[in-house]
Amino acid sequence: MAAFDIEISEVGPRDGLQSIQTIMPLEAKKAWIKAEFEAGVPEIEVGSFVPAKLLPQMADTAALVDYARTLEGLTIAALVPNFRGAQNAIDAGAHKISIPLSVSETHSLKNVNRTHDQMIEEVTKIAAYIQSLPKEKQPFFEGSLSTAFGCTIEGPIATQKVTEIAERLMKAGVNEVGLSDTTGYATPNHLVTLIKAVKSAVGEENLTGLHLHNTRGVGLANVVVALENGITTFDASLGGLGGCPFAPGASGNIVTEDLVYMLDSMGLKTGIDLEKLCAVRDIVQKALPQEELYGFLPHAGLPKGYPKGYQTTSS
């Protein structure tokens, strides 16, 4: 896959589907993943390796990883809650695994039933296991700083707590950390403060990715600010599906289609064909007819003359 200015990671098949009651058929998930890949999306989080009894929507994640490996050039990402989940993801063939460590310990106990110390132990075991594998089988390992901007249970999260957990994750052996606005609390000013603080704590090169929600309508504004502060990878969900089932009211990932359009209009290359991307909504809507899909671009359509000549220029 060619290098682009900004990398989009589609998280709908994981974050989007874990938040709804309906179980999307495996074949529909495969069609979704293939269509997004063909639209140029370079990375897709296909699911999470959690017990099916907890999230039956994710029961077929291993099968999805196996299928996605037939799509040459696609980076296959998966979320893992613990060492066992990481083993299963690696055995399945995921290229990238992310473990969520909630900065809010209350949320951590609700989400993965573990304290901060217990999660760091899991991360350390996973990192050691990865290092024991042949280089070609070692996935990229990200430590996700969940609820970094605030928690629906605990409320505001201190910046010092975020940087402390970030440092512990790097010491435990992750390749990099990512900031996650699990609950939709992030605002532009707060985002700048947190990005600068975490980069100062762990190094510029160890924070490149951001997971945002649009719960309160400032998702894309946060993206612009993040771009100005060196973030180059963004998670997004087709149709804005998503949210954490263990964080009440935290609905609404940023919409992949709207994000790509905004980046395109700013002259930033993503490698994604917007028309093909918008067409993927038909696959998802057909499989989930009762779910509402969000997004301004899909409803308004592309501007006349897109992609060239539609922006207003001074004479």
Side-chain angles (χ1 to χ4, degrees), residues 25 30 39 46 63 156 270 295 300 315:
K30 289 180 179 179
V46 300
T270 63
S315 57

Side-chain angles (χ1 to χ4, degrees), residues 9-303:
S9 180
E10 172 61 57
V11 299
R14 194 277 301 176
D15 203 359
L17 297 184
Q18 75 173 12
S19 308
I20 62 176
Q21 294 299 314
T22 305
I23 296 177
M24 192 175 192
L26 176 59
E27 292 307 312
K29 291 182 182 180
K30 289 180 179 179
W32 179 0
I33 291 167
K34 181 180 180 182
E36 284 221 23
F37 170 70
E38 291 177 343
V41 175
E43 179 178 297
I44 301 177
E45 189 176 51
V46 300
S48 59
F49 283 84
V50 296
K53 64 181 180 180
L54 296 179
L55 281 176
Q57 301 95 323
M58 301 289 106
D60 53 10
T61 299
L64 279 173
V65 172
D66 186 59
Y67 169 73
R69 286 184 65 88
T70 68
L71 304 174
E72 188 175 350
L74 175 66
T75 297
I76 304 161
L79 182 141
V80 301
N82 49 37
F83 178 71
R84 178 63 181 274
Q87 281 186 309
N88 291 338
I90 294 167
D91 289 346
H95 301 127
K96 175 182 177 180
I97 60 173
S98 298
I99 189 164
L101 200 166
S102 298
V103 183
S104 159
E105 196 159 39
T106 308
H107 181 266
S108 182
L109 290 166
K110 291 276 188 183
N111 192 37
V112 292
N113 197 32
R114 284 175 172 79
T115 64
H116 286 163
D117 288 345
Q118 289 172 325
M119 284 300 290
I120 291 296
E121 287 178 11
E122 294 291 313
V123 171
T124 303
K125 285 173 61 179
I126 294 167
Y129 178 65
I130 290 173
Q131 288 301 312
S132 74
L133 298 172
K135 281 286 186 182
E136 67 273 12
K137 292 188 177 181
Q138 293 181 9
F140 188 85
F141 186 24
E142 180 191 66
S144 176
L145 294 157
S146 302
T147 65
F149 298 89
C151 174
T152 53
I153 305 168
E154 286 190 14
I157 300 294
T159 298
Q160 183 178 350
K161 190 67 176 177
V162 180
T163 57
E164 174 192 319
I165 297 296
E167 289 174 327
R168 293 185 70 184
L169 280 168
M170 292 301 301
K171 187 177 180 181
V174 300
N175 294 113
E176 72 173 29
V177 297
L179 285 173
S180 181
D181 184 22
T182 314
T183 56
Y185 272 43
T187 58
N189 287 348
H190 189 186
L191 188 62
V192 172
T193 298
L194 214 50
I195 290 174
K196 289 182 176 178
V198 173
K199 284 192 171 189
S200 177
V202 302
E204 291 270 340
E205 71 283 3
N206 293 318
L207 173 62
T208 62
L210 192 60
H211 178 101
L212 294 168
H213 284 214
N214 195 43
T215 311
R216 293 171 177 83
V218 293
L220 293 185
N222 286 333
V223 170
V224 173
V225 168
L227 288 168
E228 294 170 348
N229 285 272
I231 299 299
T232 55
T233 300
F234 294 91
D235 291 353
S237 179
L238 192 89
L241 287 172
C244 177
F246 302 104
S251 59
N253 283 259
I254 55 175
V255 179
T256 309
E257 305 94 304
D258 289 349
L259 173 62
V260 174
Y261 171 70
M262 184 187 77
L263 294 173
D264 275 3
S265 71
M266 294 171 70
L268 296 170
K269 297 177 182 178
T270 63
I272 298 172
D273 184 312
L274 259 176
E275 291 184 350
K276 288 183 179 179
L277 181 66
C278 288
V280 182
R281 289 170 68 96
D282 294 336
I283 295 171
V284 177
Q285 193 70 83
K286 184 177 180 180
L288 303 171
Q290 74 283 11
E291 297 297 330
E292 183 177 2
L293 299 184
Y294 301 94
F296 289 100
L297 175 71
H299 294 296
L302 291 168

